Amino acid sequence: MTDLSPTDRSTIRRGKARAVTDRAVLHRILDAGLVCHLAVVLDGAPLVLPTGYGRDGDTLYLHGSTGARSLREADEVCVAVTLLDGVVYSRSVFDHSMNYRSAVIHGRVRAVTEPEAKLHALRVLTEHLAPGSWDHARRPTDKELAATRVLGLDLTEAAVKVREGGPMDEDDDIAADAVWAGVLPITRQWGEPVPSPDLRGDHAVPEHVRRR
Amino acid sequence: MTDLSPTDRSTIRRGKARAVTDRAVLHRILDAGLVCHLAVVLDGAPLVLPTGYGRDGDTLYLHGSTGARSLREADEVCVAVTLLDGVVYSRSVFDHSMNYRSAVIHGRVRAVTEPEAKLHALRVLTEHLAPGSWDHARRPTDKELAATRVLGLDLTEAAVKVREGGPMDEDDDIAADAVWAGVLPITRQWGEPVPSPDLRGDHAVPEHVRRR
């Protein structure tokens, strides 16, 4: 377990108080998120797209269609996973903020093509998106595997920022005590499972979905 | 009101069935999101960071500290706003998916520096993050204004994708009817407001927070 932020660009300069250098926090943020935002440079311009991911140890896996240019030409990438925890209502507009947990990873991706390694990565990706589905649903065919591009990214160069707690108002604003200040928390909730209309038999919602 | 996707790079090729060309949908997605992911090219490499935003007509405003290099050197940018609506449990691992609403905007940012325009942009940004706060909280001082960099981005070149509804399984998998399939919805919920511990007087939670 090594600390984060070993390079210049992954060293947080803005809001240093919010920088976190514990690798376990990075892992927890990545495990709690559902999609990442993958940024690449395409034709000299930035491109950012939401995409699924999964983590195994200190490797992040990404996947998509072999036809997607953003994945096909990806080399140097930047990946962000952001969890929103609340809106911070401060006494001043200037000090309004959000509570969040954020991970930003820099690095070069490698294509995962060896069949066993690719299957393992897809298992990691599936179990991240839908825990329990790898053993429940039909596994990929060779044709489906061939149509999927899988990329691996080492979690070596990462920056983690966490903001939590209440408003950080100016002393004068706190003393004036003119208005309410506080935090409005945000949570992500799972709703009731909606069965597919084209189910034929009498299928109960499986435990791994019901208990999520 | 014009359609979206007027350029090569903002024309969706992967998952065309999910592409949306209605500008009103773009506006609704931007209005429903809380943070965007801003991608820039810095020293030749991609950088993506979560950041607040606000929309006024067909202008997106971004802001941050004048010290942030990502904002200071931003020119050509790509901005993504992603709303997650559910995990799609298909009969096959390959067809697992997410329900989402996604907007990706390309363009060159312009610095908003003229005082009246900057104040207007900050009002838009504040009211997006915390509706009601502009009239409730203390307005920015000249010093605070000077410490804030505001960027404007035209919503001209944008790509919108929406996936909704149930699994899209292969015919063979539907016929086999071997396992449950469906959607587990995701919703964002506001929690109970948490008053700042350093409030001195007896402040009720204001209506614009309580009713959010």
Side-chain angles (χ1 to χ4, degrees), chain A residues 38-40 42 47 49 67-75 77 109 149 151, chain B residues 14:
Chain A
L38 166 69
V40 297
L42 216 58
L47 174 68
L49 292 172
R69 214 183 138 208
S70 53
L71 285 188
R72 208 168 58 225
E73 297 186 15
D75 174 26
V77 304
V109 288
R149 186 167 170 81
L151 301 175
Chain B
R14 309 301 316 165

Side-chain angles (χ1 to χ4, degrees), chain A:
Chain A
M1 208 85 130
T2 57
D3 272 1
L4 303 172
S5 303
T7 68
D8 185 65
R9 67 181 171 182
S10 66
T11 298
I12 290 168
R13 291 191 180 72
R14 309 303 316 165
K16 277 182 208 166
R18 295 171 189 169
V20 174
T21 57
D22 181 352
R23 189 157 281 272
V25 178
L26 170 66
H27 290 174
R28 282 202 296 273
I29 292 170
L30 295 178
D31 294 352
L34 275 172
V35 297
C36 66
H37 281 82
L38 166 69
V40 297
V41 179
L42 216 58
D43 303 328
L47 174 68
V48 56
L49 292 172
T51 187
Y53 69 91
R55 180 184 75 84
D56 180 26
D58 275 314
T59 300
L60 195 79
Y61 291 113
L62 306 163
H63 75 323
S65 161
T66 49
R69 214 183 138 208
S70 53
L71 285 188
R72 208 168 58 225
E73 297 186 15
D75 174 26
E76 176 99 39
V77 304
C78 186
V79 173
V81 172
T82 308
L83 307 170
L84 299 182
D85 295 323
V87 173
V88 181
Y89 290 80
S90 300
R91 292 157 181 89
S92 67
V93 160
F94 184 75
D95 286 314
H96 268 57
S97 187
M98 296 205 72
N99 280 342
Y100 62 87
R101 289 160 287 157
S102 152
V104 174
I105 302 133
H106 305 264
R108 285 180 188 277
V109 288
R110 59 177 188 282
V112 178
T113 54
E114 192 274 315
E116 280 300 304
K118 196 169 178 179
L119 212 58
H120 172 72
L122 287 173
R123 181 187 186 125
V124 170
L125 282 152
T126 302
E127 288 293 299
H128 180 84
L129 173 69
S133 276
W134 189 258
D135 286 335
H136 184 259
R138 176 177 63 71
R139 302 273 171 86
T141 62
D142 288 349
K143 194 178 160 192
E144 288 170 344
L145 274 182
T148 308
R149 186 167 170 81
V150 177
L151 301 175
L153 176 64
D154 289 337
L155 296 176
T156 315
E157 197 179 344
V160 174
K161 270 177 106 167
V162 175
R163 196 226 185 267
E164 53 194 355
M168 297 286 283
D169 273 303
E170 315 300 321
D171 291 344
D172 286 355
D173 290 324
I174 295 172
D177 200 40
V179 293
W180 183 87
V183 173
L184 192 59
I186 299 169
T187 54
R188 191 181 66 198
Q189 305 267 358
W190 298 108
E192 284 298 307
V194 180
S196 184
D198 55 10
L199 285 174
R200 293 172 183 196
D202 189 18
H203 295 276
V205 178
E207 178 119 346
H208 67 278
V209 178
R210 201 160 35 84
R211 290 194 178 271
R212 190 167 192 177

Side-chain angles (χ1 to χ4, degrees), chain B residues 160-176:
Chain B
V160 173
K161 269 176 107 168
V162 174
R163 196 222 183 271
E164 54 194 354
M168 296 286 282
D169 274 302
E170 314 300 320
D171 291 343
D172 287 355
D173 290 324
I174 295 172

